[in-house]
Amino acid sequence: PGFIMVRTSSALAFAMLPLATWASDNGLAKTPPMGWRSWNLYGGGVNQTLIEGIMEGMVRRSSRYTVDGVPKSLCDLGYCDVGLDDNWQLCGSYGAEGYTYHTEAGDPIVNPARFPSFKSMTDKAHGLGLTAGWYGNNCICSDHKTAHEKFYAGDVKALREFGFDSWKLDGCGAQTDMQLWDDLIRASAPTSGRKSIMVENCHWGSRVPYKPNATWCPWNFYRTSGDVRATYPSIVGNLQTTITYAQQNLSRPGCWAYPDMLEVGVLKTPFSSDRGLTAAETRAHFGAWVVVSSPLTLSHDVNNATVMDAIWPVISNPEVIAVSQSWAGHSGSPFKSANRSLRLAHTNPAAASKDMLAEELAAVGPLDVPEWQYFYKPMAADGAKTAVLMMNHAAAATDLVLAFGDVPGVTCSHCAVRDIWARKDIGTFTGTFTAKGVASHDAAFLVITPA
């Protein structure tokens, strides 16, 4: 009760840095990539029939799912990459060294019972106007003896022969040399699909190399955290890991910071910690990933009408997607938060991993966050258009007050405010705007322009 002091972080100094050219730019991910990947919902329970069914769902148009009255598919909205995650491999012991899913020559071994023909699967994707994603340096039966270049070369050769267009490279096995991956990919020729490969560095923000620098980024997006789970503490914990990269201007076109896949609509998973998100948490989660320019990787059952009905208004909102796909010099970060904090989890899920020992988990520490937290992302230069997400992390609804002068880059004191969740103008306001009764774990999403 009573007056709450607030703290304001200065982000203006890096808000409008000029766009530089990355030394390793492959021409992809000029805006945050959008698509779908299998892990969050299905885990290792994948097969070719399932993935091909998802592909069909990504391009399906129906009068049930429209934008401004026009039937739209998920791919029409930009979600056009369909990625397979772990468990395509045939685990075993191969050769004298006992490689777990590679031959002695360095070639990966596919499980034909699950995936009879990767080539026909990627051909299907291309025929539907989609791109197809693969997964490497696997975690299930991870290979710890495959650091030799022949294994990298064998995987790249297979990638090209199978016709994949994107690649999630995990951090579990011995193949963690991201520069070598990039060199070999660039030197290889496609058999189908595109020449450049969209690469995700999935080193969890902890296994080297996981961080780009001002001139080096041999991948297109990179994990900043451990695995996300379908709980609000996990969402918020992973979100916080993007902040340092935004402040250093290391999340930008061609090289985006990524707090993991979306948990929007992800229900009945094989992961015991998943509780599922409420409608408010779903909205806040999607808005948070958007405002920090995270890639938007869906993982729900796109062929489940009940799920699609519930989340379509969120994932199809064109004004929200426009925030994601804009670039005006800064990827999005917090600028103001409550001084009073609360504990969302006794162990910060963003810093924890399943292979940690009990004492390691205890050392991770809790997830303490401010009761409310405001993020911004410039959408145009000189404060002409700015997105603001106002998150309520607390357990009760509250009024959230925005002072225009606190938003980095915003110069108007008399400003027009638009609610982009509702896609309607709220009005013009002088000095401040108050979002009334923002529910627990929900977020107001606004666009601010000079009146």
Side-chain angles (χ1 to χ4, degrees), residues 174-214:
Q175 296 168 275
T176 57
D177 188 336
M178 297 303 297
Q179 186 60 63
L180 178 56
W181 282 124
D182 186 56
D183 292 344
L184 292 172
I185 290 169
R186 288 172 182 272
S188 64
T191 55
S192 64
R194 61 189 169 199
K195 167 62 176 172
S196 295
I197 300 295
M198 182 88 73
V199 172
E200 174 192 342
N201 174 350
C202 183
H203 287 186
W204 327 303
S206 60
R207 186 166 187 186
V208 177
Y210 62 89
K211 181 180 179 179
N213 62 38

Side-chain angles (χ1 to χ4, degrees), residues 123 133-135 203 233 287 346 365 373 403 444:
D123 283 348
W134 203 23
Y135 172 88
H203 287 186
H346 292 293
Q373 189 175 27

Side-chain angles (χ1 to χ4, degrees), residues 309-431:
D309 289 351
I311 67 173
W312 180 259
V314 175
I315 65 174
S316 70
N317 186 314
E319 296 185 34
V320 174
I321 292 173
V323 176
S324 162
Q325 301 297 291
S326 66
W327 175 255
H330 178 58
S331 59
S333 62
F335 64 94
K336 193 171 185 179
S337 56
N339 192 49
R340 194 160 59 198
S341 65
L342 56 87
R343 181 154 294 176
L344 282 181
H346 292 293
T347 300
N348 183 352
S353 65
K354 59 183 179 293
D355 57 349
M356 283 183 171
L357 301 174
E359 56 268 27
E360 292 174 314
L361 281 172
V364 165
L367 174 61
D368 293 333
V369 297
E371 290 187 343
W372 48 263
Q373 189 175 27
Y374 298 171
F375 289 74
Y376 85 106
K377 180 182 177 180
M379 298 179 68
D382 302 321
K385 190 175 186 181
T386 304
V388 173
L389 186 79
M390 305 164 71
M391 301 185 74
N392 177 17
H393 298 317
T398 190
D399 294 347
L400 297 178
V401 179
L402 173 69
F404 301 132
D406 288 339
V407 186
V410 170
T411 58
C412 58
S413 58
H414 191 58
C415 304
V417 178
R418 183 170 176 84
D419 178 348
I420 60 172
W421 288 136
R423 301 186 63 198
K424 68 177 182 181
D425 294 326
I426 301 174
T428 57
F429 301 84
T430 300

Side-chain angles (χ1 to χ4, degrees), residues 90-231:
L90 186 62
C91 296
S93 180
Y94 302 99
E97 293 294 325
Y99 305 118
T100 57
Y101 68 93
H102 285 89
T103 68
E104 285 191 288
D107 299 318
I109 302 171
V110 179
N111 185 341
R114 288 183 178 270
F115 294 93
S117 174
F118 271 158
K119 186 62 171 63
S120 67
M121 187 177 82
T122 63
D123 283 348
K124 182 179 183 73
H126 299 148
L128 293 171
L130 301 167
T131 51
W134 203 23
Y135 172 88
N137 200 34
N138 305 26
C139 290
I140 295 173
C141 70
S142 55
D143 249 332
H144 296 287
K145 301 176 181 179
T146 52
H148 191 280
E149 185 174 333
K150 70 179 180 180
F151 297 101
Y152 289 81
D155 286 352
V156 171
K157 177 173 175 285
L159 173 90
R160 292 304 196 181
E161 289 177 349
F162 296 146
F164 286 104
D165 309 280
S166 61
W167 211 356
K168 174 181 175 180
L169 294 168
D170 218 321
C172 290
Q175 296 168 275
T176 57
D177 188 336
M178 297 303 297
Q179 186 60 63
L180 178 56
W181 282 124
D182 186 56
D183 292 344
L184 292 172
I185 290 169
R186 288 172 182 272
S188 64
T191 55
S192 64
R194 61 189 169 199
K195 167 62 176 172
S196 295
I197 300 295
M198 182 88 73
V199 172
E200 174 192 342
N201 174 350
C202 183
H203 287 186
W204 327 303
S206 60
R207 186 166 187 186
V208 177
Y210 62 89
K211 181 180 179 179
N213 62 38
T215 60
W216 180 79
C217 183
W219 52 77
N220 296 110
F221 54 107
Y222 58 102
R223 281 277 295 278
T224 59
S225 67
D227 286 0
V228 72
R229 296 268 54 92
T231 70

Side-chain angles (χ1 to χ4, degrees), residues 41-69:
L41 181 59
Y42 298 107
V46 289
N47 58 64
Q48 185 164 335
T49 300
L50 172 69
I51 299 301
E52 290 183 354
I54 294 292
M55 291 174 176
E56 292 167 0
M58 298 295 285
V59 299
R60 184 180 299 116
R61 297 188 187 99
S62 165
S63 59
R64 190 181 187 116
Y65 305 115
T66 65
V67 176
D68 296 329

